[in-house]
Amino acid sequence: MTSTVPASGIRTAEGSALQAVLLDMDGTLVDTEGFWWDAEVEVFAKLGHELDESWRHVVVGGPMTRSAGFLIEATGAKITLPELTVLLNDGFEERIGRTLPLMPGAARLLAELAAHRVPTALVSASHRRIIDRVLVSLGAQNFDLTVAGDEVERTKPFPDPYLLAAAGLGADPARCVVVEDTATGVAAAEAAGCHVVAVPSVAPIAPATGRTVVPSLEQVDLPFLRGLMTLKR
């Protein structure tokens, strides 16, 4: 299922070949990937386990079921996946309640997309309870549609969330640009047939056909996104 936030209806991209922009949340728009790792470290410390720093690249950007499941198996912790999911969401929510830093260029990009009436969706592997908290800072009015990880049968790295978002906006996935920060999210977007702008947060992402890698959202604006539609896939 998807949640449609109040907006003035699905918009057009002013005649551009670009039909919609689909944005990841953690590590892409908000600087929270470190918050997830800190929550994981804290929860497992209370369970008597120390997490290996190298595992951070394994769990980043993935759905809760995959990340939490990996950590349970790696540590041998005596906790069920549903129990751990609650604890991790609680720990993360506590951290974003203290502060929620946006990534450089995020606020400007969202304002530009809204000003030019470009259909925009937030597509995250995070659960709905987390997305709704973060939307307070990002501005729910900046998105025509939001898709949460616990609202799809298969979340990232499967294409389902991005296919669902494109369909909800009435857009052709091939004419959508996805902005992502992890290999997991990039894989989901490319499997959906979207052009990808990768802004790596924790681990490097290599350029590839149909994929553009930039160091920061400060390099991303509407002319840049529209220009991607003219590139050969």
Side-chain angles (χ1 to χ4, degrees):
M1 105 184 206
T2 60
S3 172
T4 305
V5 277
S8 57
I10 302 303
R11 306 183 297 249
T12 67
E14 299 176 344
S16 168
L18 173 68
Q19 290 185 343
V21 176
L22 316 177
L23 299 132
D24 174 55
M25 186 177 77
D26 294 301
T28 299
L29 293 177
V30 287
D31 191 8
T32 51
E33 290 292 10
F35 289 8
W36 280 114
W37 179 247
D38 291 345
E40 289 158 351
V41 168
E42 180 179 71
V43 168
F44 276 90
K46 291 178 179 177
L47 294 171
H49 299 275
E50 182 178 352
L51 300 188
D52 190 309
E53 182 69 24
S54 66
W55 296 343
R56 183 172 183 175
H57 288 182
V58 179
V59 301
V60 67
M64 179 72 73
T65 51
R66 190 198 73 184
S67 300
F70 169 82
L71 292 174
I72 290 174
E73 183 176 353
T75 61
K78 302 303 181 184
I79 189 171
T80 67
L81 185 58
E83 290 170 339
L84 180 56
T85 296
V86 171
L87 293 177
L88 293 178
N89 276 323
D90 287 346
F92 181 81
E93 199 164 354
E94 179 185 354
R95 284 167 171 78
I96 64 174
R98 301 175 199 158
T99 179
L100 185 56
L102 270 59
M103 298 298 287
R108 187 264 315 149
L109 176 60
L110 290 176
E112 184 178 12
L113 294 174
H116 289 270
R117 302 178 62 79
V118 178
T120 303
L122 184 68
V123 184
S124 176
S126 290
H127 289 188
R128 171 56 54 189
R129 61 178 281 196
I130 299 300
I131 287 181
D132 287 344
R133 285 290 302 274
V134 174
L135 280 172
V136 174
S137 296
L138 284 178
Q141 73 279 3
N142 289 317
F143 303 96
D144 299 287
L145 188 74
T146 64
V147 178
D150 56 342
E151 295 173 343
V152 290
E153 184 174 346
R154 301 188 309 172
T155 187
K156 304 172 188 180
F158 293 99
D160 305 35
Y162 283 115
L163 291 173
L164 189 62
L169 295 175
D172 177 355
R175 293 177 64 184
C176 295
V177 173
V178 169
V179 184
E180 272 280 0
D181 73 303
T182 67
T184 299
V186 167
E190 291 180 343
C194 304
H195 193 106
V196 176
V197 174
V199 191
S201 60
V202 175
I205 299 173
T209 302
R211 180 194 312 168
T212 303
V213 181
V214 297
S216 166
L217 286 181
E218 292 180 310
Q219 277 72 55
V220 180
D221 57 16
L222 186 52
F224 172 84
L225 294 173
R226 285 176 170 164
L228 296 177
M229 292 293 97
T230 66
L231 298 177
K232 292 184 179 179
R233 296 185 55 83

